[in-house]
């Protein structure tokens, strides 16, 4: 949790910002965090960050184009020093709200640089999703459904779930066994998956979706096909068809303790696939690798998988990786995938 002092400070930043730019991670936690803050103050533009693992300096081109007076970074574990340097040169205040594991020394360095950095992990070693933090900041009861979407997509049932269930009993479940039980077995979960797949569309369509969501008052409207939801639902159906086929193929790679699945294609769905496999096979280590040209983007899930991930990539040149205790990502050259798999298998046997 953020402290009351931190919540107050973030609200003050939001109120000061007359033309804020929200840069957010390319998933539901990032999207709903942006929407919660945007709907709270009624202004600002959002840009999806697709670079991994960090927000790099190339995105400052968008900053220049949109000419904001404030930058808010949401749900990104790393930001390049070059990006901060450019923001400082333009005298732009930066508020960075995250929930990934971080060292206190890094937070102190950011403070010295004038970056307004907030992360509940520094307070009490917790890692509530950024959408959870944003809902606590905005406290708009009519937006509780957005916060629930962000939270369950990040494998977290928030303490305000009952509040949501009372408002929208048809969308949720009375006694869900887990966040992913809601994600895969409820109507609010279907809405979450629709939005997640909508993020994987052309930039113009993503922008239109965000504009639609910024003004939406009723979550039920997302499920109804209208002129405003036509493209959103079309994209969901297109991707979902491919996604279901990939899930079937992934299940052909089950061993005693591991599911290791690699695939190619035009679209990375590794995080989505690994999440569903973790829900269906909670006792196994899940590794899903999306290979495009010479790069493999890998999603890993399972108990204490962060330690496993960091150990598996440490001897691979230019590999990056990290994340949460039980959910991580890694990026390596695809030529090292056999070595990576062998290392994972060896570590699991230990």
């Amino acid at each position: 949790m953020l402290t009351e002092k931190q919540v107050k400070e973030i609200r003050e930043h939001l109120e000061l910002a007359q033309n804020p730019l929200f840069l957010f991670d390319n998933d539901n936690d990032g999207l709903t965090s942006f929407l919660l803050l945007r709907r709270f103050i009624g202004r600002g533009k959002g840009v999806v960050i697709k670079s991994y693992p960090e927000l790099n300096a190339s995105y400052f081109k968008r900053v220049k184009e949109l000419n904001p007076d404030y930058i808010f970074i949401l749900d990104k574990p790393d930001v390049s020093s070059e990006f901060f340097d450019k923001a400082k040169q333009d005298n732009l205040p930066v508020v960075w709200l995250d929930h990934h594991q971080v060292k206190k020394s890094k937070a102190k360095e950011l403070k010295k640089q004038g970056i307004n950095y907030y992360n509940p992990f520094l307070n009490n070693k917790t890692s509530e999703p950024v959408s959870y933090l944003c809902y606590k900041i905005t406290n708009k009861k009519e937006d509780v459904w957005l916060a629930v979407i962000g939270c369950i997509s990040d494998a977290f049932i928030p303490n305000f779930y009952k509040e949501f269930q009372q408002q929208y009993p048809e969308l949720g479940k009375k006694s869900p066994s887990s966040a992913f039980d809601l994600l895969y077995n409820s109507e609010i979960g279907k809405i979450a998956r629709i939005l997640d797949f909508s993020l994987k569309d052309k930039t113009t369509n993503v922008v239109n979706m965000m504009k639609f969501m910024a003004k939406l008052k009723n979550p039920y409207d997302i499920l109804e096909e209208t002129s405003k939801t036509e493209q959103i639902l079309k994209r969901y159906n297109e991707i979902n068809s491919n996604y279901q086929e990939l899930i079937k193929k992934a299940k052909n790679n089950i061993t005693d303790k591991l599911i290791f699945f690699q695939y190619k294609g035009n679209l990375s769905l590794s995080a989505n696939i690994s999440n569903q496999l973790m829900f269906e096979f909670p006792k196994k280590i899940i590794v899903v690798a999306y290979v495009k040209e010479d790069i493999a983007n890998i999603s890993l899930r399972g108990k204490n998988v962060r330690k496993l991930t960091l150990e598996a990539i440490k001897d691979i040149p230019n590999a990056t990786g990290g994340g949460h205790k039980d959910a991580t990502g890694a990026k390596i050259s695809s030529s090292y995938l056999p070595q990576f798999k062998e290392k994972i298998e060896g570590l699991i046997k230990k």
Side-chain angles (χ1 to χ4, degrees), residues 177-330:
S177 61
S178 67
F180 282 175
D181 182 22
L182 285 169
L183 186 61
Y184 300 113
N185 298 315
S186 74
E187 289 298 283
I188 194 64
K190 182 177 180 180
I191 293 172
R193 287 177 280 122
I194 288 171
L195 293 179
D196 193 13
F197 287 170
S198 183
L199 280 169
K200 306 177 194 306
D201 204 343
K202 293 187 296 186
T203 300
T204 301
N205 292 333
V206 173
V207 170
N208 289 336
M209 178 271 289
M210 292 192 297
K211 288 179 179 178
F212 168 69
M213 291 298 299
K215 297 179 180 179
L216 189 67
K217 294 181 179 179
N218 187 345
Y220 296 99
D221 290 347
I222 302 173
L223 298 169
E224 298 294 327
E225 185 166 338
T226 65
S227 59
K228 293 181 179 179
T229 62
E230 182 180 8
Q231 179 57 36
I232 295 172
L233 295 176
K234 178 184 177 183
R235 187 59 173 165
Y236 168 73
N237 290 326
E238 288 172 351
I239 295 179
N240 191 51
S241 177
N242 182 33
Y243 174 74
Q244 296 302 333
E245 287 299 316
L246 290 172
I247 287 288
K248 288 180 184 178
K249 291 179 180 179
K251 290 179 180 178
N252 292 327
N253 293 268
I254 300 174
T255 59
D256 185 35
K257 296 180 180 180
L258 174 70
I259 300 178
F260 192 103
F261 175 57
Q262 67 182 74
Y263 71 102
K264 296 181 179 181
N266 297 321
L267 193 62
S268 175
L269 295 166
S270 54
N272 307 78
I273 295 168
S274 59
N275 282 341
Q276 183 165 343
L277 292 175
M278 181 175 69
F279 171 62
E280 296 186 24
F281 304 95
K283 295 184 179 180
K284 296 187 185 294
I285 296 296
I286 312 296
V287 182
V288 179
Y290 169 65
V291 179
K292 187 173 183 179
E293 298 174 352
D294 185 43
I295 299 298
N297 288 310
I298 310 169
S299 292
L300 300 96
R301 303 290 185 268
K303 189 174 181 180
N304 296 321
V305 78
R306 186 175 190 275
K307 183 178 180 181
L308 191 73
T309 303
L310 297 178
E311 182 66 24
I313 66 171
K314 72 176 186 179
D315 295 325
I316 296 178
N318 302 314
T320 58
H324 302 294
K325 181 181 178 182
D326 300 329
T328 63

Side-chain angles (χ1 to χ4, degrees), residues 62-98:
R62 295 291 286 134
V63 177
K64 289 286 192 181
E65 290 171 357
L66 296 170
N67 194 30
D69 63 348
Y70 244 98
I71 297 173
F72 291 84
I73 301 170
L74 307 171
D75 194 31
K76 286 300 293 184
D78 292 299
V79 179
S80 72
S81 57
E82 291 83 3
F83 183 92
F84 288 137
D85 289 342
K86 290 178 180 294
K88 189 174 182 179
Q89 287 171 12
D90 285 12
N91 200 29
L92 281 172
V94 177
V95 178
W96 182 6
L97 186 55
D98 191 39

Side-chain angles (χ1 to χ4, degrees), residues 146-157:
L146 273 172
V148 167
I149 286 173
C151 287
I152 65 172
S153 298
D154 238 36
F156 183 83
I157 296 183

Side-chain angles (χ1 to χ4, degrees), residues 14 17-22 41 43-46 68-72:
L14 288 165
Q18 296 306 302
N19 182 32
L21 175 61
F22 299 93
I41 59 174
R43 56 187 180 271
K45 295 181 176 66
D69 63 348
Y70 244 98
I71 297 173
F72 291 84

